[in-house]
Amino acid sequence: MPAETAASGFREHVVRGVRHLVEAFPAGLRPDIYVVSLRVDHVDQDPRFPYVAVGYNTRHEVRRVLAHECSHEGTAAWEYAYWPLEGFARVGHVPEDRTGSALHLAEARAEGLWYEEDVGGEEDGNEERDDRLVREFDDVCTAAARSLHDDGCLRHVFGRSLPVVLFDMDRPGWEAEATEAVNPPGVLEGSSTVGAFA
């Protein structure tokens, strides 16, 4: 029971945190934002310290990229390598999110997944724990991304439905499956129209 309470507490914290950060996107930019990005990452590539950075891209940025870096509209608009990635707020097991860090630590300990860095001779056990920590945080981020559609947050903030792209730069290709899983049918197809950034 304690493990379930900790897990649901951390999940709900991330879901609420992601929603709050989307609601805090600059009002003046909202008409120009065409995609919400959830970048899944880990502090120093350590699976014990997961976080999600909540960002966006704008049509203005796509036009800038097309003028200076990339000539293919679809690539400039939909490949995260061309998106702004720095400077977005984070939620999870990071210093600036003390509540999230405490909840995640409690969950990991309750599930037997937490270990100290200086413990030697347990590489195999740590790899298995690392894999579970990554999978469980993927599930948390998937729930947060879906909730943006399900609770009407995106329509409330933007006045329209936007795609949410979920990605991890250390796992190229994962974003396709994850992004398809979190967006309602038609949202991705309706937003990728060629010529939308002219």
Side-chain angles (χ1 to χ4, degrees), residues 2 24 27 44 52 59 61-62 94 101 103 110 120 124 127-129 136 152 155 158 165-166 168 171-172 174 184 187:
D44 297 327
V52 58
R59 291 180 174 85
E61 177 63 14
V62 174
V94 287
S101 295
L103 287 167
D124 292 338
E127 287 178 14
E128 185 176 325
R129 284 183 259 190
E136 289 187 9
R155 288 200 172 275
F158 299 102
V165 173
L166 196 62
D168 180 337
R171 290 181 286 165
W174 174 75
V187 171

Side-chain angles (χ1 to χ4, degrees), residues 39-40 51 90 97 129 153 158 185:
R39 178 172 60 87
V40 178
Y51 66 87
R90 308 182 301 177
D97 184 0
R129 284 183 259 190
C153 175
F158 299 102

Side-chain angles (χ1 to χ4, degrees), residues 115-176:
Y115 59 92
E116 298 302 328
E117 193 171 26
D118 59 356
V119 174
E122 296 185 13
E123 286 302 315
D124 292 338
N126 289 348
E127 287 178 14
E128 185 176 325
R129 284 183 259 190
D130 287 348
D131 288 344
R132 279 193 56 198
L133 286 166
V134 169
R135 286 195 310 270
E136 289 187 9
F137 192 64
D138 285 350
D139 290 344
V140 168
C141 292
T142 298
R146 279 193 185 121
S147 77
L148 294 174
H149 289 291
D150 294 346
D151 68 9
C153 175
L154 296 173
R155 288 200 172 275
H156 172 72
V157 171
F158 299 102
R160 63 199 189 281
S161 186
L162 294 184
V164 179
V165 173
L166 196 62
F167 67 98
D168 180 337
M169 294 190 300
D170 292 328
R171 290 181 286 165
W174 174 75
E175 72 274 1

